[in-house]
mmCIF file of all heavy atoms in Angstrom:
data_model
loop_
_atom_site.group_PDB
_atom_site.id
_atom_site.type_symbol
_atom_site.label_atom_id
_atom_site.label_comp_id
_atom_site.label_asym_id
_atom_site.label_seq_id
_atom_site.Cartn_x
_atom_site.Cartn_y
_atom_site.Cartn_z
ATOM 1 N N GLU Z 131 -84.742 -150.715 25.102
ATOM 2 C CA GLU Z 131 -83.581 -150.162 25.853
ATOM 3 C C GLU Z 131 -83.928 -149.268 27.051
ATOM 4 O O GLU Z 131 -83.125 -149.244 27.995
ATOM 5 C CB GLU Z 131 -82.675 -149.340 24.849
ATOM 6 C CG GLU Z 131 -82.203 -150.046 23.728
ATOM 7 C CD GLU Z 131 -81.416 -151.318 24.014
ATOM 8 O OE1 GLU Z 131 -80.414 -151.130 24.664
ATOM 9 O OE2 GLU Z 131 -81.888 -152.458 23.681
ATOM 10 N N LEU Z 132 -85.127 -148.677 26.998
ATOM 11 C CA LEU Z 132 -85.400 -147.824 28.166
ATOM 12 C C LEU Z 132 -86.452 -148.599 29.049
ATOM 13 O O LEU Z 132 -86.233 -148.591 30.280
ATOM 14 C CB LEU Z 132 -86.158 -146.505 27.721
ATOM 15 C CG LEU Z 132 -85.136 -145.515 26.983
ATOM 16 C CD1 LEU Z 132 -85.906 -144.221 26.606
ATOM 17 C CD2 LEU Z 132 -83.945 -145.222 27.881
ATOM 18 N N GLU Z 133 -87.368 -149.268 28.526
ATOM 19 C CA GLU Z 133 -88.304 -150.033 29.357
ATOM 20 C C GLU Z 133 -87.906 -151.425 29.593
ATOM 21 O O GLU Z 133 -88.476 -152.157 30.429
ATOM 22 C CB GLU Z 133 -89.720 -149.892 28.725
ATOM 23 C CG GLU Z 133 -90.308 -148.569 28.584
ATOM 24 C CD GLU Z 133 -90.320 -147.801 29.908
ATOM 25 O OE1 GLU Z 133 -90.483 -148.483 30.906
ATOM 26 O OE2 GLU Z 133 -90.265 -146.583 29.831
ATOM 27 N N GLN Z 134 -86.912 -151.846 28.890
ATOM 28 C CA GLN Z 134 -86.263 -153.122 29.038
ATOM 29 C C GLN Z 134 -87.280 -154.314 29.003
ATOM 30 O O GLN Z 134 -87.334 -155.293 29.763
ATOM 31 C CB GLN Z 134 -85.630 -153.130 30.460
ATOM 32 C CG GLN Z 134 -84.471 -152.223 30.510
ATOM 33 C CD GLN Z 134 -83.474 -152.476 31.522
ATOM 34 O OE1 GLN Z 134 -83.773 -152.271 32.733
ATOM 35 N NE2 GLN Z 134 -82.277 -152.831 31.209
ATOM 36 N N GLN Z 135 -88.111 -154.183 27.980
ATOM 37 C CA GLN Z 135 -89.068 -155.185 27.675
ATOM 38 C C GLN Z 135 -88.415 -156.239 26.718
ATOM 39 O O GLN Z 135 -87.412 -155.859 25.974
ATOM 40 C CB GLN Z 135 -90.328 -154.701 27.050
ATOM 41 C CG GLN Z 135 -91.083 -153.812 27.997
ATOM 42 C CD GLN Z 135 -92.534 -153.311 27.417
ATOM 43 O OE1 GLN Z 135 -92.862 -153.752 26.453
ATOM 44 N NE2 GLN Z 135 -93.274 -152.507 28.168
ATOM 45 N N SER Z 136 -88.828 -157.390 26.794
ATOM 46 C CA SER Z 136 -88.252 -158.443 25.934
ATOM 47 C C SER Z 136 -88.683 -158.395 24.542
ATOM 48 O O SER Z 136 -89.687 -157.748 24.242
ATOM 49 C CB SER Z 136 -88.499 -159.807 26.606
ATOM 50 O OG SER Z 136 -89.933 -160.109 26.409
ATOM 51 N N GLY Z 137 -88.014 -159.014 23.663
ATOM 52 C CA GLY Z 137 -88.473 -159.059 22.279
ATOM 53 C C GLY Z 137 -89.810 -159.597 22.078
ATOM 54 O O GLY Z 137 -90.603 -158.979 21.470
ATOM 55 N N PRO Z 138 -90.172 -160.768 22.709
ATOM 56 C CA PRO Z 138 -91.533 -161.227 22.463
ATOM 57 C C PRO Z 138 -92.570 -160.242 23.084
ATOM 58 O O PRO Z 138 -93.656 -160.173 22.499
ATOM 59 C CB PRO Z 138 -91.488 -162.563 23.360
ATOM 60 C CG PRO Z 138 -89.999 -162.991 23.209
ATOM 61 C CD PRO Z 138 -89.256 -161.768 23.272
ATOM 62 N N GLU Z 139 -92.203 -159.679 24.246
ATOM 63 C CA GLU Z 139 -93.142 -158.713 24.749
ATOM 64 C C GLU Z 139 -93.395 -157.549 23.837
ATOM 65 O O GLU Z 139 -94.548 -157.049 23.627
ATOM 66 C CB GLU Z 139 -92.668 -158.143 26.078
ATOM 67 C CG GLU Z 139 -92.816 -159.086 27.236
ATOM 68 C CD GLU Z 139 -92.205 -158.494 28.517
ATOM 69 O OE1 GLU Z 139 -91.205 -157.842 28.459
ATOM 70 O OE2 GLU Z 139 -92.757 -158.753 29.638
ATOM 71 N N ILE Z 140 -92.320 -157.088 23.174
ATOM 72 C CA ILE Z 140 -92.423 -155.949 22.245
ATOM 73 C C ILE Z 140 -93.269 -156.376 20.992
ATOM 74 O O ILE Z 140 -94.105 -155.684 20.524
ATOM 75 C CB ILE Z 140 -91.052 -155.426 21.821
ATOM 76 C CG1 ILE Z 140 -90.240 -154.913 23.022
ATOM 77 C CG2 ILE Z 140 -91.135 -154.250 20.861
ATOM 78 C CD1 ILE Z 140 -88.863 -154.621 22.782
ATOM 79 N N ALA Z 141 -92.947 -157.515 20.638
ATOM 80 C CA ALA Z 141 -93.651 -158.055 19.388
ATOM 81 C C ALA Z 141 -95.197 -158.160 19.748
ATOM 82 O O ALA Z 141 -96.004 -157.788 18.915
ATOM 83 C CB ALA Z 141 -93.210 -159.438 19.008
ATOM 84 N N GLU Z 142 -95.441 -158.602 20.877
ATOM 85 C CA GLU Z 142 -96.881 -158.743 21.375
ATOM 86 C C GLU Z 142 -97.521 -157.335 21.391
ATOM 87 O O GLU Z 142 -98.589 -157.062 20.892
ATOM 88 C CB GLU Z 142 -96.918 -159.381 22.712
ATOM 89 C CG GLU Z 142 -98.374 -159.340 23.379
ATOM 90 C CD GLU Z 142 -99.051 -160.583 22.884
ATOM 91 O OE1 GLU Z 142 -98.470 -161.631 22.602
ATOM 92 O OE2 GLU Z 142 -100.303 -160.470 22.668
ATOM 93 N N ALA Z 143 -96.776 -156.380 22.036
ATOM 94 C CA ALA Z 143 -97.406 -155.028 22.212
ATOM 95 C C ALA Z 143 -97.593 -154.296 20.886
ATOM 96 O O ALA Z 143 -98.596 -153.573 20.709
ATOM 97 C CB ALA Z 143 -96.427 -154.231 23.052
ATOM 98 N N LEU Z 144 -96.602 -154.467 19.989
ATOM 99 C CA LEU Z 144 -96.652 -153.766 18.689
ATOM 100 C C LEU Z 144 -97.458 -154.580 17.612
ATOM 101 O O LEU Z 144 -97.699 -154.087 16.520
ATOM 102 C CB LEU Z 144 -95.304 -153.417 18.148
ATOM 103 C CG LEU Z 144 -94.436 -152.536 19.052
ATOM 104 C CD1 LEU Z 144 -93.107 -152.183 18.443
ATOM 105 C CD2 LEU Z 144 -95.169 -151.269 19.446
ATOM 106 N N ALA Z 145 -97.784 -155.816 17.937
ATOM 107 C CA ALA Z 145 -98.343 -156.670 16.957
ATOM 108 C C ALA Z 145 -97.567 -156.782 15.739
ATOM 109 O O ALA Z 145 -98.113 -156.573 14.602
ATOM 110 C CB ALA Z 145 -99.748 -156.249 16.654
ATOM 111 N N VAL Z 146 -96.272 -156.993 15.877
ATOM 112 C CA VAL Z 146 -95.313 -157.110 14.806
ATOM 113 C C VAL Z 146 -94.583 -158.423 15.072
ATOM 114 O O VAL Z 146 -94.236 -158.802 16.112
ATOM 115 C CB VAL Z 146 -94.366 -155.832 14.865
ATOM 116 C CG1 VAL Z 146 -93.205 -156.063 13.848
ATOM 117 C CG2 VAL Z 146 -95.073 -154.556 14.519
ATOM 118 N N PRO Z 147 -94.239 -159.096 13.948
ATOM 119 C CA PRO Z 147 -93.494 -160.376 14.009
ATOM 120 C C PRO Z 147 -92.209 -160.226 14.840
ATOM 121 O O PRO Z 147 -91.497 -159.208 14.739
ATOM 122 C CB PRO Z 147 -93.240 -160.763 12.609
ATOM 123 C CG PRO Z 147 -94.289 -160.141 11.822
ATOM 124 C CD PRO Z 147 -94.575 -158.763 12.465
ATOM 125 N N LEU Z 148 -91.885 -161.183 15.511
ATOM 126 C CA LEU Z 148 -90.687 -161.158 16.392
ATOM 127 C C LEU Z 148 -89.493 -160.889 15.613
ATOM 128 O O LEU Z 148 -88.546 -160.000 16.002
ATOM 129 C CB LEU Z 148 -90.520 -162.517 17.215
ATOM 130 C CG LEU Z 148 -89.390 -162.451 18.197
ATOM 131 C CD1 LEU Z 148 -89.537 -161.346 19.236
ATOM 132 C CD2 LEU Z 148 -89.380 -163.881 18.904
ATOM 133 N N ASN Z 149 -89.235 -161.484 14.453
ATOM 134 C CA ASN Z 149 -88.044 -161.189 13.698
ATOM 135 C C ASN Z 149 -87.951 -159.788 13.199
ATOM 136 O O ASN Z 149 -86.852 -159.238 13.112
ATOM 137 C CB ASN Z 149 -88.061 -162.151 12.392
ATOM 138 C CG ASN Z 149 -87.668 -163.575 12.754
ATOM 139 O OD1 ASN Z 149 -87.105 -163.823 13.775
ATOM 140 N ND2 ASN Z 149 -88.105 -164.490 11.922
ATOM 141 N N THR Z 150 -89.129 -159.191 12.883
ATOM 142 C CA THR Z 150 -89.117 -157.784 12.656
ATOM 143 C C THR Z 150 -88.643 -156.950 13.714
ATOM 144 O O THR Z 150 -87.896 -155.992 13.476
ATOM 145 C CB THR Z 150 -90.483 -157.339 12.128
ATOM 146 O OG1 THR Z 150 -90.916 -158.265 11.129
ATOM 147 C CG2 THR Z 150 -90.460 -155.900 11.629
ATOM 148 N N ILE Z 151 -89.145 -157.305 14.903
ATOM 149 C CA ILE Z 151 -88.683 -156.506 16.098
ATOM 150 C C ILE Z 151 -87.121 -156.620 16.184
ATOM 151 O O ILE Z 151 -86.528 -155.603 16.428
ATOM 152 C CB ILE Z 151 -89.367 -157.136 17.342
ATOM 153 C CG1 ILE Z 151 -90.845 -156.919 17.279
ATOM 154 C CG2 ILE Z 151 -88.784 -156.569 18.669
ATOM 155 C CD1 ILE Z 151 -91.249 -155.502 17.235
ATOM 156 N N TYR Z 152 -86.655 -157.856 16.083
ATOM 157 C CA TYR Z 152 -85.155 -158.052 16.218
ATOM 158 C C TYR Z 152 -84.346 -157.227 15.204
ATOM 159 O O TYR Z 152 -83.383 -156.663 15.466
ATOM 160 C CB TYR Z 152 -84.802 -159.511 16.207
ATOM 161 C CG TYR Z 152 -85.151 -160.282 17.500
ATOM 162 C CD1 TYR Z 152 -85.738 -161.465 17.475
ATOM 163 C CD2 TYR Z 152 -84.942 -159.597 18.740
ATOM 164 C CE1 TYR Z 152 -86.061 -162.097 18.615
ATOM 165 C CE2 TYR Z 152 -85.243 -160.280 19.906
ATOM 166 C CZ TYR Z 152 -85.836 -161.547 19.842
ATOM 167 O OH TYR Z 152 -86.119 -162.113 21.067
ATOM 168 N N SER Z 153 -84.885 -157.247 13.975
ATOM 169 C CA SER Z 153 -84.186 -156.561 12.933
ATOM 170 C C SER Z 153 -84.146 -155.061 13.150
ATOM 171 O O SER Z 153 -83.239 -154.303 12.918
ATOM 172 C CB SER Z 153 -84.555 -156.909 11.534
ATOM 173 O OG SER Z 153 -85.823 -156.482 11.304
ATOM 174 N N ARG Z 154 -85.318 -154.564 13.591
ATOM 175 C CA ARG Z 154 -85.374 -153.115 13.866
ATOM 176 C C ARG Z 154 -84.544 -152.732 15.019
ATOM 177 O O ARG Z 154 -83.881 -151.705 15.063
ATOM 178 C CB ARG Z 154 -86.883 -152.744 14.215
ATOM 179 C CG ARG Z 154 -87.879 -152.714 13.015
ATOM 180 C CD ARG Z 154 -89.303 -152.304 13.392
ATOM 181 N NE ARG Z 154 -90.192 -152.395 12.339
ATOM 182 C CZ ARG Z 154 -91.460 -152.267 12.322
ATOM 183 N NH1 ARG Z 154 -92.026 -152.027 13.562
ATOM 184 N NH2 ARG Z 154 -92.277 -152.384 11.327
ATOM 185 N N LEU Z 155 -84.539 -153.592 16.008
ATOM 186 C CA LEU Z 155 -83.698 -153.343 17.141
ATOM 187 C C LEU Z 155 -82.165 -153.296 16.871
ATOM 188 O O LEU Z 155 -81.448 -152.430 17.340
ATOM 189 C CB LEU Z 155 -83.975 -154.450 18.234
ATOM 190 C CG LEU Z 155 -83.468 -154.126 19.633
ATOM 191 C CD1 LEU Z 155 -83.900 -152.809 20.173
ATOM 192 C CD2 LEU Z 155 -83.968 -155.170 20.571
ATOM 193 N N ARG Z 156 -81.790 -154.234 15.971
ATOM 194 C CA ARG Z 156 -80.414 -154.187 15.524
ATOM 195 C C ARG Z 156 -80.113 -152.897 14.825
ATOM 196 O O ARG Z 156 -79.141 -152.283 15.088
ATOM 197 C CB ARG Z 156 -80.164 -155.447 14.567
ATOM 198 C CG ARG Z 156 -79.481 -156.622 15.096
ATOM 199 C CD ARG Z 156 -78.896 -157.476 14.099
ATOM 200 N NE ARG Z 156 -79.846 -157.840 13.036
ATOM 201 C CZ ARG Z 156 -80.800 -158.780 13.128
ATOM 202 N NH1 ARG Z 156 -80.816 -159.521 14.254
ATOM 203 N NH2 ARG Z 156 -81.640 -159.043 12.141
ATOM 204 N N LEU Z 157 -80.941 -152.513 13.918
ATOM 205 C CA LEU Z 157 -80.792 -151.261 13.236
ATOM 206 C C LEU Z 157 -80.699 -150.016 14.157
ATOM 207 O O LEU Z 157 -79.834 -149.239 14.082
ATOM 208 C CB LEU Z 157 -81.950 -151.119 12.248
ATOM 209 C CG LEU Z 157 -81.837 -150.080 11.139
ATOM 210 C CD1 LEU Z 157 -80.721 -150.434 10.298
ATOM 211 C CD2 LEU Z 157 -83.124 -150.137 10.280
#
Side-chain angles (χ1 to χ4, degrees):
Chain Z
E131 304 302 301
L132 293 182
E133 297 305 330
Q134 300 198 285
Q135 295 188 3
S136 69
E139 282 176 326
I140 299 170
E142 174 85 36
L144 301 181
V146 169
L148 185 57
N149 283 340
T150 307
I151 295 297
Y152 285 139
S153 69
R154 285 179 186 172
L155 195 50
R156 257 195 313 275
L157 196 57

